[in-house]
Amino acid sequence: MLFWPVLLDPNDHFFTAGGDALQSYYATAFYALHDVGDRFTGMNYPYGEHFNYPNLQPLIALVLNFLQRHGLPAGQYTVGITNLLALASLVVTPVVLYAILRRTRLPVLYAAVLAIIIGFMSPQVLRLDAHLSLSYGCFVPLLWYCIIRMQENPRQWRWYVLFAVGSLLMGAVMLYFLACGCFFLMAHVLVLAWQQPRLRPWLGRMVLAALLPLLLFRGYLWATDHVTDRPPNPYGLLVYVASPVSVFLPVLGPLHDWGQEHGFPQADGMEGLSYIGVVGTLTLLVTLVVGGWAIVRRRQWNRLGRLALPLHLRTGLWAATLLLLLAFGLPFKWRMFDWLTDHSGPVKQFRSLGRFAWPFYYVASTYTAYVLYRLWRYLRRRQLRKWAWVGLPLLLLWGSEAWWQVSAKALQVTQSTGASAFLNPAKDLISRLTWTNRKVSDFQAILPLPYYNIGTDKFDLSGSGNSIYQADKASATTGLPLLACYVSRASVGQAMQHVQLLSSELVPKELLTHFPNNKPLLLLVTPDALTEAEQRIVRLGKLLLQAPEGALYELPLAALAATSLVRERALANSLLPRLAPRPGGLRVTTPAGVMLQSFDKSPDRRGRLGTGAFYDPKEGFSILYDGQLPMPADTGRYEAGVWIYGKMDYGYGNMQVKLYDAAGQMLDHQTVDARHATEVLNGWVRVVVPFRRTAQAVRIEVLYDTRGLLADDLLIRPANADVYYYSGQGSRRQVIKNTYPLGP
């Protein structure tokens, strides 16, 4: 009923027409229509990508691709099929939960009602409008059901096999489900080893069922993924975490609004949302208070491991709590465990730890349903029938929260229509190329502007919603790959080559040498604000078509590859004899003061042009320069620029400039996010902070905030002054302009 508009025409509804949801639609459709095997060629041209990394739900994409190659037009209905699969999980989830509740000794009607309530309050429902691959609410309960049956019948191999196979298949949809299920089973192994001596002989089978899928998946990636420079420290390990607020306090609906009006804390982001409901929170709180008091008062400490619950609830609560602590970021948040964080490479790849709170939601909700039923039975047996019906308002409140959540998401995902045009070649901007006597086969790839390159955690060039939508649409319908990237944990080196296309004319474009042919690029420009670098690329192209949704240009490779190095060398050769040398061999085109810090005498010898470079392994602010401003003064626009090594283990961070007067008071503070840098040369990235020098400023401080910083060639100069100098000796001697080598 709630999703009826989607069910009437599932192929015409975007659950979200942008962000990760749009990328999921696009990547799945492109693979189904144009790819084969384990390669996804739709983005990151000409390299492509291992198809496990784009947000395409590999298992579903494989099935659609198989159907497409055997005559069924499944690819063009990718949007509808993806939508229906996500909604089908809303139907399947209560069925699985009903099976779990029945094994928890709850009556049929009560179990059926609670299964629907718990299913509609599932954390996966909150993902329908953003991360479709995370929206399958039935996956975690299915794996928990297998774990329950393992404990009931430890001799039966089928439950171990079903768990291993199921987790692998779920991992082929979204890897987090594989990790979540396997970690949950390993937590059960720890709890059972402590609480259940009779099950210890069977724990080896559980360990095998938990570790084998992880090892098989890792082995598969090792054998098929040839990229060696994926980011080793993805951003978000201690950011995308759960918290007590995101688990125990309302996250939407009237109760959430009431809480905000009365000063309740707000959950930070959506990655850790696993809200168990007000009834669940109160039930756990009362359990902790009453049960804890009884244990302490009677000194029955052994009761902690022998709670009066069905076995799977007793062990499930402890195991889910262990994962909940991991979802809270523990122990990685504690400074004393920094060493553990540094050496937990596989865990760091699951950077959104908050998602490991999912099992706690299902176990805590099942426990709440069990406690309420037992309380109702207890009161009836004590002839307190009036009190027994107090549970009814609690169930109504619980059901209301489930209704608020699922109806809110239904309202969101049914709003966006028009998705049927997304994969319709007749309604594509590029279909109008025939008006210009051009065809798709005349081009080798699409370069979208505003440009986007997202996923390395180094660069964050986000483009625009228009450019991403139009580029995805054009690529999916034509089969032309994109010279852009929206892929998690993409190759850092390949991303640097792509971003280099936006670098200045002083930088040769390395990526172009890897193109398979000399066909021009199709430049797709949407009506959004363009950076100076993007405008330069547009000027290199020839306009083919102008339409309200965007413009198409033909961009020859020769135009994009052309540099100004020859012209700049000639200019330098004419200027250098007329410019008076300054200390350090600098020659400047204006009388203004400049400052160059080459770090040639630094202990680290991994220099960019010279032999030395600045290196700071610690996390935090590194002081690149702190001293007097260069004289004579120029009170106009200045810039401080430094080159950082592009393949450092951690993110690029930010660069800051602070100006002080003679009394030490800060006059100005400028910050630049290095993820937006586009100057890339020989593995180094140039970060520039523009600032204005005031007459009162006498001291400048240049800071860089990141971890494992390797930096070189810091230059502070007026924006209208060019700085020349020589670097190297003998045959390696070359002239440098503003830290760019011009050659011998």
Side-chain angles (χ1 to χ4, degrees), residues 91 105 148 161 194 215 224 248 257 280 288 323 350 393 421 440 511 596 607 629 643 647 650 673 694:
V91 179
R105 307 169 193 169
I148 292 172
V161 174
W194 164 43
L215 294 175
T224 58
F248 300 112
D257 298 338
L288 286 174
L323 259 66
F350 297 103
V440 171
L511 183 68
L596 174 68
L629 276 162
W643 293 86
K647 292 188 178 182
Y650 294 87
D673 189 341
T694 61

Side-chain angles (χ1 to χ4, degrees), residues 152-327:
E152 293 177 349
N153 301 288
R155 291 181 173 85
Q156 293 185 359
W157 273 101
R158 61 177 175 176
W159 299 111
Y160 304 96
V161 174
L162 285 173
F163 179 91
V165 173
S167 58
L168 276 173
L169 292 175
M170 294 171 194
V173 175
M174 166 48 73
L175 189 54
Y176 273 96
F177 289 113
L178 167 64
C180 195
C182 293
F183 285 16
F184 193 31
L185 180 52
M186 284 301 299
H188 272 85
V189 169
L190 296 176
V191 175
L192 289 170
W194 164 43
Q195 292 187 2
Q196 300 294 321
R198 70 176 183 85
L199 289 178
R200 289 173 185 169
W202 315 105
L203 296 185
R205 294 185 179 185
M206 293 186 182
V207 172
L208 180 63
L211 296 184
L212 187 59
L214 288 171
L215 294 175
L216 288 174
F217 205 93
R218 186 68 190 91
Y220 157 73
L221 288 180
W222 176 82
T224 58
D225 182 20
H226 305 297
V227 175
T228 58
D229 64 343
R230 299 194 187 277
N233 300 286
Y235 172 80
L237 181 69
L238 301 181
V239 178
Y240 302 140
V241 295
S243 67
V245 174
S246 67
V247 175
F248 300 112
L249 292 183
V251 296
L252 52 76
L255 291 180
H256 169 265
D257 298 338
W258 179 87
Q260 293 303 295
E261 293 174 1
H262 291 80
F264 281 47
Q266 170 75 29
D268 186 15
M270 67 175 299
E271 289 299 339
L273 296 184
S274 292
Y275 174 52
I276 65 173
V278 169
V279 177
T281 298
L282 292 176
T283 300
L284 290 179
L285 183 61
V286 171
T287 298
L288 286 174
V289 173
V290 176
W293 170 251
I295 290 174
V296 171
R297 183 168 56 88
R298 300 173 184 174
R299 300 184 181 275
Q300 296 177 335
W301 308 111
N302 61 321
R303 292 290 299 277
L304 285 171
R306 303 290 298 178
L307 301 175
L309 296 170
L311 175 62
H312 65 271
L313 266 188
R314 187 192 318 158
T315 57
L317 278 173
W318 279 104
T321 301
L322 289 177
L323 259 66
L324 183 64
L325 295 177
L326 177 63

Side-chain angles (χ1 to χ4, degrees), residues 38 80 94 109 145 151 155 249 291 370 398 556 669 673 724:
D38 61 8
L109 180 60
Y145 183 80
Q151 297 173 81
R155 291 181 173 85
L249 292 183
Y370 177 79
W398 199 353
H669 182 191
D673 189 341
Y724 293 91

